[in-house]
Amino acid sequence: MNKFFVTGGNTLRGTVEIGGMKNAAVAIIPATILAQGVCVLENIPNVSDVTLLLQMLTEMGARVRMLGKKTVEIDTSYLCDPVVPYDLARNMRASYYFLGSLLGRCGQASVSMPGGCNFGVRPIDQHIKGFEAMGAQVEIENGMINAKADQLRGAHIYFDKVSVGATMNIMLAATRAKGLTILENVAKEPHIVDLANFLNSIGADVRGAGTDVIKIRGVDVMHGASYTIIPDQIEAGTYMAAAVATGGDVRVENVIPKHMEPITAKLRSAGAEIEEGDDWLRVRRTGPLKRINVKTMPHPGFPTDMQPQMAAMLTMADGVSIITEGVWDNRFKYIDELIRLGANITVDGKVAVIEGVRELTAAPVRCTDLRGGAAMIIAGLLATGTTEIEEIIHIERGYEDVVEKFTALGADIRRVTLPDAPLSKAL
Ligand code: UD1
């Protein structure tokens, strides 16, 4: 069993280099299947979700070779199996991107029902609606989603709900459909644009990504290419929130400041001073940490994936902050863990009311999900004493070198491997 031990009280100072965006990489890696050739992906994040996807591709017949820590070469020329290995895929949300890419390339796909962070019900009806509109038959049987189509046809699809996953999955399949696909009410996150740019680099014809309407004209063949993944907006935001929480002074490098705007605006309201360069931001707080209200929304609104980190930061703000979750039904599981540390938070449905406290005190806590885990680190940095964080597997799904990066900023954080506890005789 692995744990983090975080001893609070240190102020974060220094420079941190942000890695490639996990949520872009987890779509672009399955998308290489469409290339039917050699792709070189640069700036891939060194996180376990990426490792898992590369393992899935290898088992399906692709050749995968690391060319350094952040570059991978993927040759999908001889990929032969449209079935994604069940045991690898079922714990991971993003494995569903294989549905779109395999349908596009092979006309059939079998992927286990997706896992991933538990934010309540996570339906995939919009993905299925899109595939069916393009002429695919989709069935769910024995925990697998099976899709097939003799020939995908372009279609006009209006999503009932703005969904990152459905937008990307249908984009993937549509690159090889016959004719024009028009997607309306789509997600506009930076990773949607990154996937579109990657697809165009391998020969697709995708227009409008980043706006409300995306048009994809299907092509017959696609080819390999080299592509650099964009920096991770949420990883950057996490270090920025940690800097503000501790009253620190941190420069985040390798970021796209435009992508950070919803986050920088809120951090400024909370009392941060933020300077911007071409690909860096300097975040400082010298005055008091002020109360703010945050409502999460699809891009360009405030990202739901930064909601727990903001909550952790606001546990010690002056006054009462209100966080409203506007994307997921149930994304406040981590709050109980913050309360163990002495935070004063009440949750009512999708609203959390945080009354700032003078002190947090260390306690054993667990990660309920990936970003909830990041919130535990931030709270641990604020708490008096040493906070023991369990189930860090969630954090390592999405944050590369997290101990090294926080340590370089002056945090006292250690990763410890402990022997698994023996089963109690009473059990
Ligand atoms: C992605 C991100 C996740 C982030 C989320 C919202 C990845 C791997 N994960 O998740 O970190 O929190 O975007 O920014 O990129 N919905 C439906 N039907 C569907 C699909 C979604 O009702 O078919 C609903 C969901 O329940 C949720 C909302 O739409 O309430 C947004 O979900 P979606 O954007 O699809 O999230 P993911 O792509 O799963």
Side-chain angles (χ1 to χ4, degrees):
M1 193 205 301
N2 299 314
K3 292 184 183 182
F4 288 155
F5 287 83
V6 181
T7 304
N10 293 3
T11 299
L12 298 193
R13 291 184 197 285
T15 299
V16 59
E17 169 98 15
I18 301 305
M21 185 188 266
K22 175 190 83 87
N23 285 348
V26 297
I28 290 174
I29 290 169
T32 60
I33 287 177
L34 291 160
Q36 226 161 328
V38 181
C39 290
V40 175
L41 301 180
E42 298 191 41
N43 203 28
I44 57 158
N46 181 22
V47 296
S48 63
D49 269 8
V50 162
T51 313
L52 258 181
L53 284 170
L54 295 175
Q55 215 176 323
M56 291 179 209
L57 270 181
T58 307
E59 290 199 15
M60 290 155 70
R63 276 201 299 251
V64 175
R65 197 158 62 108
M66 292 305 295
L67 306 176
K69 196 173 165 192
K70 288 179 176 282
T71 306
V72 64
E73 182 186 76
I74 303 172
D75 182 354
T76 58
S77 312
Y78 305 104
L79 185 125
C80 47
D81 193 352
V83 181
V84 182
Y86 183 84
D87 283 336
L88 294 178
R90 70 179 169 157
N91 292 322
M92 195 184 167
R93 189 80 190 156
S95 52
Y96 59 31
Y97 291 128
F98 282 115
L99 279 173
S101 57
L102 283 168
L103 255 185
R105 160 107 178 243
C106 314
Q108 57 173 321
S110 291
V111 183
S112 65
M113 282 296 282
C117 291
N118 181 0
F119 308 141
V121 185
R122 291 185 76 169
I124 55 161
D125 56 301
Q126 297 304 304
H127 303 235
I128 294 173
K129 167 180 160 165
F131 292 136
E132 288 181 341
M134 287 192 287
Q137 289 137 32
V138 186
E139 280 170 5
I140 298 177
E141 217 176 11
N142 304 328
M144 297 292 281
I145 310 162
N146 302 313
K148 86 174 179 229
D150 293 334
Q151 170 66 65
L152 289 171
R153 300 181 305 270
H156 193 146
I157 300 160
Y158 188 95
F159 291 111
D160 304 324
K161 178 123 199 187
V162 176
S163 160
V164 170
T167 303
M168 304 232 250
N169 231 342
I170 305 309
M171 268 164 75
L172 290 167
T175 56
R176 293 293 298 274
K178 205 163 185 55
L180 181 68
T181 298
I182 301 176
L183 306 180
E184 292 202 62
N185 197 27
V186 292
K188 293 178 277 198
E189 270 67 5
H191 31 308
I192 304 280
V193 179
D194 208 35
L195 176 64
N197 288 342
F198 169 73
L199 290 171
N200 288 336
S201 80
I202 61 170
D205 182 356
V206 181
R207 294 171 200 208
T211 74
D212 289 315
V213 183
I214 299 179
K215 294 184 180 171
I216 306 132
R217 191 166 288 283
V219 296
D220 292 334
V221 271
M222 287 157 95
H223 50 77
S226 288
Y227 189 79
T228 303
I229 289 168
I230 54 169
D232 197 311
Q233 174 203 35
I234 305 300
E235 188 197 11
T238 301
Y239 288 102
M240 290 164 72
V244 177
T246 61
D249 183 350
V250 168
R251 185 175 153 112
V252 285
E253 293 192 338
N254 184 32
V255 294
I256 298 176
K258 177 89 192 142
H259 292 170
M260 303 308 300
E261 277 172 4
I263 300 166
T264 47
K266 280 294 164 193
L267 292 177
R268 280 191 175 118
S269 305
E273 291 160 51
I274 302 181
E275 250 180 86
E276 284 186 20
D278 287 347
D279 64 351
W280 58 266
L281 293 167
R282 180 178 174 195
V283 188
R284 268 181 298 178
R285 180 174 66 82
T286 46
L289 181 59
K290 299 183 206 160
R291 58 154 300 278
I292 53 168
N293 295 339
V294 178
K295 177 163 189 199
T296 70
M297 282 190 287
H299 192 80
F302 188 89
T304 172
D305 288 355
M306 273 301 297
Q307 183 253 93
Q309 302 89 312
M310 293 299 271
M313 179 187 95
L314 292 169
T315 55
M316 291 188 71
D318 287 344
V320 178
S321 303
I322 296 176
I323 295 194
T324 308
E325 173 55 45
V327 176
W328 295 107
D329 288 338
N330 187 356
R331 201 174 186 167
F332 285 132
K333 289 206 174 105
Y334 69 91
I335 296 265
D336 282 344
E337 305 302 307
L338 290 181
I339 292 172
R340 284 180 210 283
L341 298 170
N344 184 353
I345 309 177
T346 46
V347 174
D348 184 5
K350 292 182 170 191
V351 179
V353 178
I354 306 175
E355 193 164 340
V357 292
R358 290 273 146 251
E359 190 184 31
L360 296 181
T361 48
V365 291
R366 70 183 184 93
C367 304
T368 52
D369 57 81
L370 167 59
R371 310 301 171 183
M376 293 308 120
I377 297 182
I378 295 176
L381 294 171
L382 298 178
T384 306
T386 301
T387 296
E388 200 177 307
I389 306 177
E390 282 183 15
E391 296 181 44
I392 59 169
I393 191 170
H394 292 290
I395 299 178
E396 292 177 341
R397 280 186 38 226
Y399 287 91
E400 64 175 23
D401 303 332
V402 68
V403 169
E404 291 78 0
K405 289 187 184 185
F406 270 111
T407 304
L409 293 175
D412 184 342
I413 174 169
R414 284 175 298 131
R415 183 181 196 277
V416 175
T417 301
L418 298 167
D420 287 337
L423 280 178
S424 151
K425 285 196 179 127
L427 284 174

